[in-house]
């Protein structure tokens, strides 16, 4: 064969070989596979390029041999590497082992090493050939996923993987097993409905729809443990492929604590809401809630074209009771009265406590306003029934104001304001009655507000002056003494009579300060007259019950008298019959104390209240003052004449002095005198006069 042809063949064979070698190199590179061989006789090795790459050596810098290989094997794998390669050399079979090596740059790599021995013609091991596959990436991925899998397995949150179609569990973690009290094997026998008792197939289908839209879904559900107990969970659901199956992974978090807190908050909210809307003492709706109810009643009545009434009930002089017998008993009385009003109302009517001693009622759908009057009277009567407390039997009355929807007003504020004005009218009318609203009352109510604020200033600036009205012995026309009657010298209005401001002052307690001013002024006036040798007789001071109830009153009065040099025998205190009889037992104690200092006590406006004879006897009284309402029409009016005579007879039998007030005419004076009442006060003798007119009166007309 020509040499050229041979050369060509060789060339072709070489280029084929080169091509194969290149392709082998590429395969080695792709598969991270390096090949090697060791000549067992010379111990020299040949490494493929990829092998150099795996170990990280430069082909030109190292001479590979078995020693180099072992020097890179990590110490913990060294024994195994020796042993396995030794086996390979003797067995002749392919031997595989994993080991870790340190690359030239210090990185650790994981290798799978395959090796097989090649025998020579004499069956002596000549070469060891094999591959080193770099599986570092795979091992780190495997480790990583193992770590993740461990985390998931041991996570305290519950993690479930369930089949998309049957909802059976494919995987459950420790957290799920612990939370539910099942073993993993038991749980894998169940499906999602077994542990979610409230879950329905409809709900699941709905969740699926939401899931598809949002690529995930959150849901709150309840889990039932193996022992039957339940807890709330928050689930987050995502779809995955698990071992080639379509599945859902569910992360569940126990939110029972949160739910409990939510429940607590809810309960607390309900409680707060209740506190904000209901009166603590009576458990009735309070002002806030009542206003809402009133506005609802307005809407409903508008729609149904019906009429309703708003009643405001205010107990008369309740503050006084509260102050004198203690707030604790006052509270009991409020509860008792709330119960009484409640039981006199039909079930569909609304009762609320607006505050203090004030109640409000909505009488729904009243066809006739007579119904409102009837209910108001029933309420007044039921409140008036005696109230037995621990030590006292109390008689309480109430004043009721009524406004009507839609007749009087169409808004809740106006209805309230008008019922309030009507209630004040009832107070002005002598309490213990009811009044319907009428337009002129609003002006009155307004007047009241203005009055209250200007009264405050009046007290501060002592805008009060005292008038004196003589009390005359009608037999010898001598002056017994003078009643001090307060007047308010208003800077703009001028002189204001007590009828205009005393009731309000009694109601809000200003009377205490006013009476102190009157006492101070009149006593110092009397001391001056006595000093001047005028001999004005006895000073009659009107005393509000509020004053008497104050613990410090007697002490303060005595102190004032002492400071001014006012003698007790110059003083007489007038207390009204109704005020005394409201709480006679307490009055007896207080008045006894006053009387023990030699101060006289007169009962004012006698005949207008309800005196108990038993108490009249027990009270330390000196004088009865016949009210001017009986005097006005005597002697013509037979009834008044009879009453006047009866009062005189009663007073005489009780050994009391008797005085008549409001005597304007000669006949009145004569009738009284003839029937045994010799002390007379009234315009017939003199009108109340300012202090500077009294010296003249005393000097000029000592004998009238
Ligand atoms: P009161 O204690 O019953 O006083 C008698 C009232 O009758 C006085 O009215 C007096 O001016 C009036 N009056 C006297 N004579 C006649 C008469 O002949 N005809 C008529 N029509 N009236 C006569 P005033 O001064 O307006 O006082 C009214 C009430 O105000 C008093 O009634 C008393 O309850 C109260 N008041 C007056 N001053 C004081 C005070 O300083 N303190 C207290 N707490 N109440 C006072
Ligand atoms: Mg009086
Ligand atoms: Mg009087």
């Amino acid at each position: 064969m020509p040499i050229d042809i041979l050369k060509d063949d060789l060339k072709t064979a070489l280029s084929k070989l080169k091509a194969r070698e290149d392709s082998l190199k590429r395969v080695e590179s792709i598969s991270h596979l390096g090949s090697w061989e060791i000549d067992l006789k010379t111990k020299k090795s040949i490494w493929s390029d990829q092998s150099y790459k795996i170990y990280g050596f430069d082909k030109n810098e190292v001479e590979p041999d078995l020693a180099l290989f072992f020097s890179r094997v990590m110490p913990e794998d060294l024994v195994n590497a020796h042993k396995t390669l030794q086996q390979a050399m003797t067995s002749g079979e392919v031997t595989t082992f994993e080991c870790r090596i340190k690359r030239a740059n210090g990185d650790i790599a994981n290798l799978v090493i395959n090796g097989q021995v090649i025998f020579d013609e004499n069956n002596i091991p000549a070469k060891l050939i094999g591959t080193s596959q770099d599986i570092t990436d795979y091992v780190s991925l495997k480790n990583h996923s193992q770590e993740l899998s461990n985390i998931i397995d041991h996570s305290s949150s519950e993690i479930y993987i369930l089949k998309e179609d049957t909802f059976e569990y494919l995987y459950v973690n420790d957290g799920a097993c612990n939370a539910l009290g099942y073993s993993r094997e038991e749980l894998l026998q169940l499906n999602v409905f077994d542990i979610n008792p409230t879950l329905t197939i409809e709900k699941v289908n709905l969740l699926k729809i939401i899931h598809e839209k949002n690529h995930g879904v959150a849901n709150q559900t309840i889990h039932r443990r193996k022992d039957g107990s339940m807890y709330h969970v928050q689930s987050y659901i995502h779809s995955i492929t698990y071992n080639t199956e379509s599945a859902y992974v569910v992360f569940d978090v126990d939110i029972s604590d949160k739910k409990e807190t939510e429940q607590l908050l809810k309960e607390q909210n309900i409680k707060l809401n209740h506190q904000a809307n209901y009166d603590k003492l009576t458990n009735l709706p309070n002002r806030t809630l009542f206003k809402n109810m009133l506005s609802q009643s307005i809407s409903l009545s508008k729609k149904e074209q019906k009429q309703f009434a708003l009643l405001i009930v205010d107990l008369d002089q309740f503050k006084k009771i509260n102050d004198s017998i203690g707030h604790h008993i006052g509270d009991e009385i409020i509860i008792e009265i709330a119960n009484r009003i409640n039981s006199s109302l039909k079930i569909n009517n609304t009762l609320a406590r607006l505050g203090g001693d004030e109640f409000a009622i909505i009488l729904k759908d009243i066809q006739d306003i007579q119904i409102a009057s009837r209910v108001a009277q029933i309420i007044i009567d039921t409140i008036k029934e005696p109230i037995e407390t621990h030590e006292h039997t109390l008689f309480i009355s109430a004043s009721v104001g009524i406004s009507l929807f839609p007749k009087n007003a169409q808004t809740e504020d106006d209805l309230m304001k008008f019922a309030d004005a009507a209630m004040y009218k009832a107070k002005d009318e002598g309490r213990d009655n009811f009044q319907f609203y009428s337009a002129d009352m609003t002006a009155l109510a307004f007047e009241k507000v203005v009055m209250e604020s200007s009264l405050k200033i009046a007290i501060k600036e002592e805008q009060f002056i005292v008038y004196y009205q003589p009390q005359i012995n009608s037999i010898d026309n001598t002056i017994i003494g003078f009643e001090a009657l307060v007047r308010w010298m208003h800077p703009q209005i001028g002189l204001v009579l007590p009828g205009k401001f005393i009731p309000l002052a009694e109601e809000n307690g200003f009377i205490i300060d006013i009476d102190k001013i009157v006492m101070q002024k009149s006593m110092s006036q009397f001391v001056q007259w006595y000093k001047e040798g005028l001999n004005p007789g006895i000073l009659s001071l009107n005393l509000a019950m509020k004053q008497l109830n104050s613990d410090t009153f007697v002490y303060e009065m005595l102190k004032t008298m002492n400071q001014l040099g006012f003698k007790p025998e110059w003083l007489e205190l007038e207390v009204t019959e109704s005020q005394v009889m409201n709480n006679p037992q307490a009055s007896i104690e207080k008045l006894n104390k006053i009387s023990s200092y030699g101060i006289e006590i007169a009962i004012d406006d006698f005949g207008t209240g309800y005196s108990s004879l038993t108490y009249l006897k027990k009270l330390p009284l000196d004088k009865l003052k016949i009210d001017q309402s009986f005097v006005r029409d005597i002697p013509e009016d037979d009834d008044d004449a009879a009453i006047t005579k009866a009062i005189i007879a009663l007073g005489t039998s009780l050994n009391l002095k008797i005085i008549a007030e409001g005597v304007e005419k000669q006949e009145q004076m004569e009738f009284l005198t003839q029937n045994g009442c010799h002390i007379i006060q009234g315009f017939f003798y003199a009108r109340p006069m300012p202090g500077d007119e009294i010296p003249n009166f005393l000097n000029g007309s000592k004998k009238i």
Side-chain angles (χ1 to χ4, degrees), residues 441-452 454 500 504:
M441 285 178 192
T442 326
L444 200 94
F446 176 70
E447 220 175 77
K448 203 158 225 153
V449 176
V450 176
M451 174 86 84
E452 191 157 303
S454 39
K500 279 263 181 212
L504 179 66

Side-chain angles (χ1 to χ4, degrees), residues 604-605 627 661:
D604 204 354
D605 302 346
D627 188 66
E661 64 182 356

Side-chain angles (χ1 to χ4, degrees), residues 303-333:
K303 215 161 72 194
E304 296 177 350
Q305 301 210 317
K306 286 184 171 160
Q307 162 167 260
F308 74 83
L310 165 63
L311 276 64
I312 288 187
V313 180
D314 192 283
L315 305 184
D316 295 329
Q317 297 179 298
F318 186 73
K319 278 194 192 77
K320 198 185 69 187
I321 296 176
N322 226 2
D323 293 345
S324 58
I325 58 175
H327 290 248
H328 181 62
I329 297 179
D331 283 354
E332 281 178 24
I333 293 169

Side-chain angles (χ1 to χ4, degrees), residues 466-467 469 483-487 497-503 506 511 514-515 518-519 541-545 547 574 576 579 604-605 625 627-628 632 661-665 668 681-688:
V466 185
Y467 272 41
Q469 186 177 31
E483 178 174 12
L485 294 161
V486 69
R487 265 82 183 116
L497 289 177
K500 279 263 181 212
F501 63 90
I502 293 279
E506 279 180 343
I511 192 69
I514 296 175
D515 276 353
V518 173
M519 181 182 287
L541 276 182
N542 289 291
L543 191 67
M545 204 59 195
Q547 191 75 267
E574 289 188 11
T576 64
Q579 291 192 354
D604 204 354
D605 302 346
K625 199 164 185 184
D627 188 66
Q628 48 184 286
R632 196 172 299 129
E661 64 182 356
V663 179
E664 295 181 359
K665 293 182 227 140
Q668 291 168 334
Q681 180 180 347
F683 298 170
F684 173 66
Y685 287 115
R687 288 181 175 264

Side-chain angles (χ1 to χ4, degrees), residues 613-678:
L613 285 181
T614 324
Y615 282 121
L616 265 188
K617 255 170 69 182
K618 285 189 189 164
L619 283 162
L621 302 177
D622 300 285
K623 214 183 248 179
L624 286 190
K625 199 164 185 184
I626 305 172
D627 188 66
Q628 48 184 286
S629 58
F630 304 110
V631 175
R632 196 172 299 129
D633 295 324
I634 52 172
E636 302 86 21
D637 188 293
D638 291 342
D639 285 345
D640 284 347
I643 291 170
T644 306
K645 279 194 213 168
I647 294 175
I648 296 170
L650 176 72
T652 314
S653 74
L654 289 172
N655 235 347
L656 300 174
K657 287 179 259 182
I658 299 152
I659 174 171
E661 64 182 356
V663 179
E664 295 181 359
K665 293 182 227 140
Q666 175 97 23
E667 310 87 79
Q668 291 168 334
M669 184 272 285
E670 279 165 4
F671 177 86
L672 289 159
T673 311
Q674 279 156 21
N675 285 288
C677 170
H678 308 137

Side-chain angles (χ1 to χ4, degrees), residues 406-422:
K407 191 179 163 208
N408 300 144
Q410 269 107 57
T411 68
E412 65 258 27
D413 279 349
D414 280 351
L415 281 166
M416 292 282 278
K417 205 164 71 187
F418 293 172
D420 223 36

